[in-house]
Amino acid sequence: MSPSKTVTPIRNKLPVYFLSHGGPNLIFDTTHPARAVLEAIGKEITTSGKAGGMKAVVIFSAHWEASSPGTVEINVAERTELINDFYGFPRKYYQQSYPNLGSPSIAKKVSNVIEQAGFKVKAVQRGLDHGIWIPFKCAFPDSNPLSVPIIQVSLLSTSNPAEHYALGQALSSLRREGIQIIGSGMAVHNLRDFMLSMGDPDAIPGYCGSFDIALKDAVTAWPVEKRKEVLMGLMKRGDARRAHPSWEHLLPLFVAAGAAGGGEGMEGVGKKEMVGLSGKETNGQNGHDGVNGEDGLEEEPDKGERLWTYLEGSLSWAQFRFGKPVVESS
């Protein structure tokens, strides 16, 4: 950051979350440790949201990647069905409901800031995949409903962490306009090894523990430029491909970290690549550094913390938050 700029903490700026969402078994496994944790996080989100004027949730799930390179897809449907994008479960798993509404007007606002950051945006109508509705059924039960629209935005079609970080940066300023940003994936996600171990939660491979620690170290690294540097190195680790045989469950974390602000610029994404994303150069304008608010002040980036972790075989359920919940002013 330039020392000549004014950095200001923003009161009522909503925090950013990364949720490890698990699978369909979480619906009926009421004793699973993640259930109580997600419920507690849900209460934190609604309480903070009430104090911070939450108007909508914008969420990125591991289970929706854009169909075209350089394009971000956004769900503009006002009413959405649930997508049962899982197989081999008893019938009752496919008979679930989760009441939710979208908002075409808020989706348009989100689209505008993404386009201003140099990405192409495509409006689509689709349902909510299980990376959203399963953790939300746990986090926001009938006793703690999420009474705002849910806007799902896709990941990019590439696995470039810097591009996903930049996508999060594009949305950072919306946090002080009542937009709650959430990434939904898994901290460690190797289903093949989980199946080979017959789902034994105590059969924890070494890479699961080591990558879980590395993820915590990356999220909590400070200052923010250091955090971005460590995050960008995660996929290069020797244990990364065992922890994530495919990257989609890790990518929402980069979006969440970008939305936390700071880590200026597009290191790791060359100028030619950025021209390719939108067909035009951005000249470093329109919020690519994710820190400049509409009043021209540079917002203070938020520190990251791990709220909880749980190793279950070759899975990690680590939950993360960037920033602090908003509290009611006295």
Side-chain angles (χ1 to χ4, degrees):
M1 295 181 186
S2 169
S4 63
K5 295 180 181 178
T6 300
V7 179
T8 179
I10 303 298
R11 198 168 69 88
N12 292 355
K13 182 173 65 170
L14 296 174
V16 182
Y17 292 85
F18 172 83
L19 305 180
S20 288
H21 64 240
N25 59 298
L26 199 62
I27 302 171
F28 295 103
D29 187 358
T30 58
T31 63
H32 194 288
R35 284 288 298 257
V37 173
L38 286 170
E39 184 174 351
I41 292 173
K43 288 180 179 178
E44 181 178 281
I45 289 173
T46 55
T47 302
S48 170
K50 181 180 179 181
M54 180 168 61
K55 297 181 178 67
V57 169
V58 170
I59 184 164
F60 297 80
S61 165
H63 298 281
W64 187 19
E65 297 175 275
S67 57
S68 302
T71 299
V72 178
E73 296 176 355
I74 184 167
N75 187 12
V76 299
E78 187 167 5
R79 297 188 179 274
T80 59
E81 302 294 329
L82 303 186
I83 300 175
N84 295 314
D85 48 345
F86 46 84
Y87 309 96
F89 288 84
R91 184 177 180 182
K92 64 181 180 180
Y93 286 84
Y94 303 95
Q95 298 174 327
Q96 298 301 301
S97 63
Y98 179 74
N100 68 92
L101 285 175
S103 170
S105 61
I106 296 178
K108 178 61 175 175
K109 182 180 184 68
V110 174
S111 297
N112 287 342
V113 298
I114 294 175
E115 286 182 328
Q116 288 167 8
F119 296 94
K120 297 177 183 177
V121 179
K122 179 181 179 182
V124 302
Q125 296 198 24
R126 74 191 300 271
L128 297 182
D129 61 61
H130 83 265
I132 300 174
W133 67 263
I134 286 178
F136 276 24
K137 278 179 74 73
C138 300
F140 309 107
D142 292 342
S143 59
N144 180 44
L146 183 65
S147 303
V148 296
I150 300 172
I151 312 298
Q152 185 176 3
V153 183
S154 77
L155 301 173
L156 294 158
S157 62
T158 72
S159 297
N160 186 319
E163 290 180 7
H164 285 87
Y165 191 95
L167 178 56
Q169 286 178 307
L171 299 175
S172 181
S173 64
L174 294 180
R175 295 168 53 204
R176 59 169 168 153
E177 298 181 36
I179 304 300
Q180 175 68 69
I181 300 172
I182 299 175
S184 178
M186 284 293 284
V188 176
H189 186 259
N190 189 323
L191 285 182
R192 179 179 180 276
D193 283 0
F194 191 77
M195 297 301 181
L196 288 176
S197 68
M198 302 299 291
D200 180 0
D202 296 322
I204 300 172
Y207 66 79
C208 188
S210 61
F211 196 82
D212 185 65
I213 293 171
L215 207 54
K216 177 189 176 184
D217 290 344
V219 168
T220 58
W222 200 253
V224 67
E225 292 81 9
K226 179 65 174 179
R227 179 173 71 201
K228 182 180 180 183
E229 177 186 349
V230 179
L231 282 167
M232 294 302 109
L234 283 173
M235 288 183 175
K236 301 173 185 177
R237 289 177 51 87
D239 54 1
R241 268 304 187 189
R242 295 293 305 279
H244 289 277
S246 55
W247 298 120
E248 74 283 345
H249 279 76
L250 183 60
L251 294 175
L253 178 69
F254 299 120
V255 179
E264 297 182 39
M266 289 291 294
E267 293 86 352
V269 182
K271 185 175 181 180
K272 289 183 179 179
E273 291 182 71
M274 284 308 303
V275 172
L277 289 176
S278 64
K280 59 183 179 181
E281 295 185 15
T282 63
N283 297 318
Q285 298 175 355
N286 296 325
H288 251 321
D289 60 9
V291 295
N292 288 328
E294 60 188 13
D295 52 14
L297 295 178
E298 186 178 348
E299 298 181 10
E300 182 179 17
D302 292 300
K303 291 184 177 180
E305 61 182 305
R306 188 174 71 184
L307 302 177
W308 181 75
T309 193
Y310 174 65
L311 304 185
E312 182 180 16
S314 54
L315 307 175
S316 167
W317 289 82
Q319 314 287 336
F320 296 97
R321 183 184 67 216
F322 298 88
K324 296 294 185 182
V326 181
V327 296
E328 291 278 7
S329 56
S330 55

